[in-house]
Amino acid sequence: MNVPNHIAIILDGNGRWAKKRGMPRSYGHVKGCENLETICEAAKELGVKYLTVYAFSTENWKRSKEEVDGLMRLFRNYLKKCLKISRKNDMQVRVIGDYTAFDQDIQDSIVKLETFSKDFQTLHFQIALNYGSRDEMLRAVNRMLADQKEGRLQGEITEEIFSGYLDTAGIPDPDLMIRTSGELRLSNYLLWQMAYTEFYFTDVPWPDFNKAELIRAIEKYNDRDRRYGGVKEESTCSKQD
Ligand code: FPP
């Protein structure tokens, strides 16, 4: 099995999973959070090098105060618990997104976790928090403008330079993007980085997405013919992209 180097996941369906069981949406988020540990471990066992999950978007602030508060509580607990998880899995953790919008104690926990795990190398785990691709690109452009003004950046902007200003600087682009729970959209996730990523959509809600489901997604990825806009000599298929 050809295992993707980088898998990006949109964690969707916690709320519906909980409602179906007559439970509050927050219970779904708790289960979804527990599942992160399962999937990190599974990814590591399968040999995935980079795993990026979309946990809170720039648009998620629109949810009820009760739900947002519940998610913040979960992030608080998880970021602390993750110190142990990162050591156990030799997992480097990095948060992408504008986390300056969070309470100071959450920001401090992020810095602590990133610093603690910076030398772990087996799995690179990125958590997107207050992340939106358009926001990320605008922040990058504004930092480029500031650097140009200060003389730190000169000449034409290349793809490499632009990529280096994104939150994902230094992280290879995703090979496979998985979205759970049936919605067929990208929801402002890694738009620049996913120019050539293969997409896999499943109806399985995030709390039920286990190692077997991850293997199923990777098997489907193995059926794809990645041509990056070119044409493969040996390919009998006549499609051009
Ligand atoms: C999207 O849809 C999911 C979220 C906004 C939150 C995802 C959060 C977690 C998996 C848990 C916490 C994560 C970390 C990093 C600690 P939805 O799940 O609200 O579901 P719906 O589409 O069924 O309403």
Side-chain angles (χ1 to χ4, degrees):
M1 194 164 65
N2 168 26
V3 176
N5 186 48
H6 183 175
I7 299 182
I9 310 183
I10 300 182
L11 314 171
D12 199 7
N14 296 339
R16 280 166 284 170
W17 181 92
K19 282 281 156 209
K20 213 171 149 188
R21 285 160 181 78
M23 301 294 282
R25 294 176 56 79
S26 56
Y27 179 66
H29 293 315
V30 171
K31 287 291 167 193
C33 188
E34 286 172 14
N35 199 36
L36 278 181
E37 207 174 325
T38 307
I39 292 302
C40 281
E41 236 171 277
K44 188 191 82 170
E45 284 163 13
L46 291 167
V48 175
K49 290 296 293 178
Y50 295 84
L51 179 69
T52 304
V53 299
Y54 205 3
F56 194 83
S57 77
T58 44
E59 286 72 38
N60 284 152
W61 299 104
K62 292 181 204 152
R63 296 188 174 204
S64 72
K65 185 176 180 317
E66 189 193 356
E67 183 165 352
V68 171
D69 287 350
L71 282 167
M72 294 304 139
R73 267 196 304 277
L74 263 186
F75 296 155
R76 267 194 183 89
N77 293 338
Y78 179 79
L79 289 164
K80 291 200 179 94
K81 221 174 109 187
C82 202
L83 292 165
K84 255 194 193 150
I85 301 171
S86 69
R87 188 170 45 210
K88 184 176 160 214
N89 290 315
D90 192 36
M91 176 175 103
Q92 188 178 127
V93 187
R94 181 155 144 193
V95 170
I96 61 168
D98 181 9
Y99 63 77
T100 60
F102 293 118
D103 286 350
Q104 191 58 49
D105 68 304
I106 296 186
Q107 296 185 44
D108 293 346
S109 293
I110 290 171
V111 174
K112 187 173 172 188
L113 177 58
E114 287 185 335
T115 310
F116 176 80
S117 67
K118 72 176 178 11
D119 294 324
F120 299 150
Q121 290 295 333
T122 304
L123 178 67
H124 296 250
F125 181 47
Q126 291 68 237
I127 311 170
L129 289 177
N130 193 29
Y131 177 86
S133 208
R134 290 181 174 186
D135 176 70
E136 177 192 35
M137 287 194 259
L138 285 180
R139 282 187 287 109
V141 169
N142 285 318
R143 271 193 294 124
M144 284 192 290
L145 289 173
D147 281 356
Q148 271 180 340
K149 210 171 151 192
E150 300 294 326
R152 288 187 294 263
L153 176 66
Q154 276 146 14
E156 230 174 75
I157 308 296
T158 62
E159 288 192 9
E160 286 67 34
I161 291 174
F162 186 71
S163 296
Y165 275 84
L166 294 174
D167 298 345
T168 50
I171 297 168
D173 289 344
D175 301 287
L176 171 65
M177 191 284 296
I178 299 170
R179 182 169 188 150
T180 58
S181 211
E183 308 296 346
L184 306 178
R185 55 178 171 262
L186 283 182
S187 303
N188 204 8
Y189 190 39
L190 302 172
L191 302 180
W192 170 272
Q193 297 87 339
M194 297 212 289
Y196 285 102
T197 300
E198 298 292 330
F199 295 164
Y200 175 81
F201 296 97
T202 173
D203 288 336
V204 175
W206 173 247
D208 290 337
F209 190 89
N210 54 22
K211 186 176 182 183
E213 294 297 337
L214 181 62
I215 292 173
R216 202 191 308 274
I218 295 174
E219 282 170 353
K220 286 282 174 203
Y221 166 82
N222 274 245
D223 293 340
R224 307 280 175 87
D225 181 13
R226 300 188 79 194
R227 292 189 296 277
Y228 301 94
V231 182
K232 260 195 193 155
E233 289 298 314
E234 68 273 20
S235 173
T236 49
C237 178
S238 62
K239 278 183 282 170
Q240 292 294 309
D241 58 4

